[in-house]
Amino acid sequence: MKPIQIGALAALVATSVALGAPDLAVAQTAKGGRGSAAAPMAQDAQMASKIRLTRKTPAYWEVTFNNPPLNVVGPAEVRRLVEILDQIEADPNVRVVVFDSALPDYFMAHYDLLKPLEESTGMASGPTGMHPVPDFMVRLSRLKAVTIVSIRGRASGIGSEIALAADMRFASREKAILSQFEVGAGFPPGGGPTARLPRLVGRGRALEILIGADEINGELAERYGYVNRALPDAELDGFVDKLARRIASFDGQAIADTKHLVDQASLPPDAESQAGWDAFVADVQRPGAQGRVTALVKQGLGQPGDLEEHLNQYTAKYPK
Amino acid sequence: MKPIQIGALAALVATSVALGAPDLAVAQTAKGGRGSAAAPMAQDAQMASKIRLTRKTPAYWEVTFNNPPLNVVGPAEVRRLVEILDQIEADPNVRVVVFDSALPDYFMAHYDLLKPLEESTGMASGPTGMHPVPDFMVRLSRLKAVTIVSIRGRASGIGSEIALAADMRFASREKAILSQFEVGAGFPPGGGPTARLPRLVGRGRALEILIGADEINGELAERYGYVNRALPDAELDGFVDKLARRIASFDGQAIADTKHLVDQASLPPDAESQAGWDAFVADVQRPGAQGRVTALVKQGLGQPGDLEEHLNQYTAKYPK
Amino acid sequence: MKPIQIGALAALVATSVALGAPDLAVAQTAKGGRGSAAAPMAQDAQMASKIRLTRKTPAYWEVTFNNPPLNVVGPAEVRRLVEILDQIEADPNVRVVVFDSALPDYFMAHYDLLKPLEESTGMASGPTGMHPVPDFMVRLSRLKAVTIVSIRGRASGIGSEIALAADMRFASREKAILSQFEVGAGFPPGGGPTARLPRLVGRGRALEILIGADEINGELAERYGYVNRALPDAELDGFVDKLARRIASFDGQAIADTKHLVDQASLPPDAESQAGWDAFVADVQRPGAQGRVTALVKQGLGQPGDLEEHLNQYTAKYPK
C-alpha cells in the first residue's frame, strides 16, 4: 500500500464527482436519451486518455485502457465506454475493434467498489432499456463490427466480463490472469458472465470459474475455452494485429451478416444480462457482502499492492 | 470372478428385498410424499455406511460411495441418495458437497441390472413428479449448495450420470475411467447424459461418448470437457478438498444466487431428463436389449472381475 | 495451374449441363417430390464413381468423395448426395456411415462457384421444404444411422459444412486443414456452420473460424472442438474403421433412440439453416462479393494450384 497511490485514487474520486455524473444521469433520463459524443464528459481530455480510441485505419479501431494504476472502471469510465460504443455503432466503415491495455500488469482490475453504489445504480438507462453496464455488454456483443480482446495482465470482474461480451479473446500465455472474483467478495458478478460463460465453456467449468472465484491463468483459460487461445506473450500483439488487419480487409456486409447469424445461435437473451445485474445490485447491499467488501477495502482493494495482486487469496481469508 | 464376491452380491439383493422397498414405495404414493429422513430405510445403518454422509464442517459435506465390490446403485441406493439430497436441501448452512468413492477402482460401476426392473419402475415419484432417478438428477443440479465430484476408478452409467448432474467434476488423470456403456448393452442411458453431455462437450463428442460407448480415460475426459480437469492422482484429493473449503468459506447467498443465474443459462429442461428415462425403460425391455443384457450377466456383469474391468470389450463381442 | 486440369474442370461443367439439371429440377417441382434412386442422374455411372457408396457390411456403409482434382461439390454432386441420403434413410439395417475422400490433399475444396448461381438456386426443394443444400445438411444430422467424417487434406466451405452436419469428425493431425473461407470471398457461408459451430466450439472460436476465415489445422481443430480428435495420419483410417465397426455391432434401436435424445438437446432449429442459406444467396450476388469472387476465379479458384492451396492468403489480398 503506497500512500502516493492512495492519493491518486482519491483524486480519481474527486474528478468523477466534479464531472457531475448524477446531473448528467438526470439530464439523460429527462431526454429519454443516451450518452452521446456531444455530452460534456465525452470531451473530457482526461477521460479520453484513460480509455483511448485510436482509428488505426477507417476499418480498424483500437480501444486502449490506460487508467493507472489498475484500470478500474466506474461510472465515469462506463460512460466513456458507452460513448465509444456509440461511435462504433454510428460508423459504417469500422469492421474490427481491438480492446487492449496500456498497463503491463492489468487489463482491468475490476469495477470500482470504492464509489457510492448510488453513482452506479443512478445512471440513466441505455437504449436497450437496461442499466448502462448490462446495456453496454449486450450492445458490444451485437455490434456489426467484430471485437477482439487482447488480454495481458489481470482481467478480473468487469475486465473479464468485457472480454466475454466481446467476440474473441486472446491472452498472453505467461501474463494473463483472468478471474471472476465476485463470489469471494460476497456477491454475484453483475456484467453477464453467468449468462456467457456456461455457453462458452460449459456449465461445469463456468461454475468452477464463477463460484471457485479463483485465478485462471492463460494456459488454463485456453484449455477451458475461456479465451480463444493463449499465445506466447511475445507473439500476442502481432497475432491480434494481423488477425484484425485480415478481418478489416474483408467485406463489411459479409462480416455483419455472418455475425448476425452467429448471434442467433449463440447470444444469451438480454433478460439474463438484466437478471445478472439485478442480482449483483441486490446482493452487494446485503450485510454479508458489505462486511466482506469493507474488509477488502481496508486491506487495500482498489489500490495497487499485495491485495490486488493476490485478491484470490484475500477473498478466502474472511473470518467466519 | 471371485465366488466370495458373488456371495456378497447375493446378500445385497437379499438385503434390498428385506428392506421392503415396494411397500415403502406404496406408502409414499399414498401420502403423495417423498423419501424423508424419517423413512425406515433411512435409519438403516448398513445403507448409511454404503453411501456415507460426513459433515466435515457445517458448510462442507462429503458423500462417499462405499458399497463394495462395485458401488453398484439400485433402488435401495437411489432411496439413500434421495434421503441425502433431502438433507442437503433442508440445511441452509451447507454450501458445498463433495461426492467421492471409498473403493480405489470404482467410483460407481453402473446401475444394478440384476434386480427385477419392476423394483426400479415401481418406485414412487419424487417431488418433481418424475421417477426418482431423473428426479434425483435434476434436483441434484438445482441444489443451492455447490456439488463437486471427485472421480477415481470407473464411473460408468449412473456413475457418469451423477457426475454430469453435479456442478463440477475432477478426475484422477491415471485412474479415472468414464463411460456410458449403455448403447453397447442395447439401450439408451436413462439418467440424463443425452441432455447434459451435448451441452457440456458439444454434439460431436457427446455422440461419440454415448454411441461409441467406450472407455474415456481421465486425460481424454479433460480434453473433451467431460470433466473440468484431470489431475495427477496424488493431487486429486488435495485439490478437491482445497476447492471445497474455499467455496465453503464464501457467502451462501452469493453462491446460491450465482448458481441460480448459471442454471438459467445451462440446465436442460426437465422434460429431456424424463424423456431419457422413458427411452431407457422402454428399450431395456425389448428383446434386443434383453439378449445383450442376459449375455453380459452370464459373463459376469455386476460381479467384480474381467467383464466389469473390460465392459467396453464385452459389449462389442455380442454375436450378430 | 496445370492446363490439363483446367480441361478436366471444363469437362465437368459440360457433363453437368448435359445431365439436364434444370429440367430435372422442374420435374421434381411438378411432382412435389424429391430426388430418388429412380432419377436419371442416379444411374449415372460417372457420378456414382465421383461420390462412391460402398456397403462394407449391411450395417456399415462408406461414402467416398472421389471427384478430382478438388472434390468440388456443385448442383450435380448435391443431387448425388441427396440420392445417397435417401438410400440411408430407407434402409433399416444401416447403423453407421463413414464419409471420406479418395484424394489425399482434398477432403472437399468448397462449393462450385464457377457454375451459374441459377443452377444452384433453381434446384427443387427437398422434403424439409428447404433448398437441397440446407435440406441435405439437416437431414444428414437427423439420420437414425450414425455418421462419421474422416478428414484428410483440405475441408473448406461445404466440405467443412458436411463435416459439421455429420455426427462425429476425426481429422488427420498432419494433413487435415479445415476452413470456412467464405467471408474472405465476400459472403457468409451458406451450409449451416453459423448455426452449428457456435454450439460446438462456443461463440468466440466460431466467430474466429467464420470471420477470420483462415486455415485451421488438425491440432487446432481438436483444441477448439471443431473435430472430435485429431489423430496421427497413420492411425486415422484404422481408428475410424474400428469405431464404425464397433457401432455397427450395436443395436440399431438403441443407437437411434439415443441419437434422437441428443438431437433434442443439440440440433439447431431448421430455421437457422434456412437463414444461413438465404444470407449466402443474397450476399453472393452483391457487387462486393462478385468483385472478390471474380478476382479469385481469375487467379485460379476451382482449379488445382497455388490459389486453392493458399486460399486463405489470396482472400486477404483483395485490393481495397
Side-chain angles (χ1 to χ4, degrees), chain C residues 86-106:
Chain C
D86 289 338
Q87 294 183 39
I88 300 171
E89 284 182 348
D91 191 314
N93 294 313
V94 56
R95 292 198 275 283
V96 62
V97 183
V98 169
F99 292 78
D100 54 25
S101 167
L103 314 187
D105 297 332
Y106 287 91

Side-chain angles (χ1 to χ4, degrees), chain C residues 33 81 152 186 317:
Chain C
L81 284 169
R152 177 178 286 119
K317 282 191 292 189

Side-chain angles (χ1 to χ4, degrees), chain B residues 256-278:
Chain B
D257 288 349
T258 301
K259 198 174 152 182
H260 183 68
L261 290 163
V262 171
D263 285 354
Q264 306 303 308
S266 64
L267 282 186
D270 286 3
E272 288 188 24
S273 296
Q274 179 68 54
W277 179 254
D278 291 345

Side-chain angles (χ1 to χ4, degrees), chain B residues 105-315:
Chain B
D105 297 330
Y106 287 92
F107 175 80
M108 189 177 290
H110 49 70
Y111 198 73
D112 188 345
L113 293 167
L114 300 180
K115 295 213 178 58
L117 182 64
E118 295 71 33
E119 278 194 42
S120 290
T121 55
M123 296 176 79
S125 301
T128 62
M130 293 192 285
H131 180 275
V133 169
D135 178 81
F136 172 78
M137 298 293 178
V138 306
R139 287 168 61 203
L140 178 64
S141 295
R142 285 206 206 95
L143 285 175
K144 288 186 180 181
V146 170
T147 52
I148 306 176
V149 175
S150 174
I151 305 171
R152 178 177 284 119
R154 295 176 181 274
S156 302
I158 195 168
S160 163
E161 290 165 357
I162 289 174
L164 289 167
D167 294 336
M168 310 175 201
R169 290 150 291 286
F170 298 94
S172 162
R173 186 167 288 274
E174 301 94 328
K175 298 188 179 169
I177 300 173
L178 291 90
S179 87
Q180 296 283 166
F181 75 100
E182 289 91 334
V183 168
F187 52 88
T194 48
R196 296 179 194 279
L197 266 175
R199 290 175 168 92
L200 202 58
V201 307
R203 173 181 170 83
R205 289 167 171 176
L207 286 168
E208 181 191 345
I209 294 166
L210 293 165
I211 300 186
D214 212 336
E215 294 184 349
I216 308 287
N217 66 29
E219 183 274 333
L220 186 61
E222 173 183 300
R223 220 180 332 148
Y224 275 20
Y226 196 166
V227 298
N228 286 39
R229 301 189 215 180
L231 296 151
D233 190 71
E235 297 173 20
L236 177 64
D237 297 346
F239 177 91
V240 169
D241 184 66
K242 191 178 168 193
L243 175 58
R245 289 185 191 277
R246 177 174 177 84
I247 292 174
S249 81
F250 292 160
D251 181 76
Q253 192 67 38
I255 293 171
D257 288 349
T258 301
K259 198 174 152 182
H260 183 68
L261 290 163
V262 171
D263 285 354
Q264 306 303 308
S266 64
L267 282 186
D270 286 3
E272 288 188 24
S273 296
Q274 179 68 54
W277 179 254
D278 291 345
F280 158 69
V281 170
D283 275 18
V284 80
Q285 303 184 65
R286 285 185 309 103
Q290 286 297 309
R292 286 174 191 261
V293 172
T294 303
L296 291 171
V297 169
K298 277 187 192 162
Q299 294 171 91
L301 186 78
Q303 302 169 32
D306 193 64
L307 178 134
E308 287 289 347
E309 284 162 27
H310 303 96
L311 182 50
N312 64 324
Q313 297 173 19
Y314 281 78
T315 54

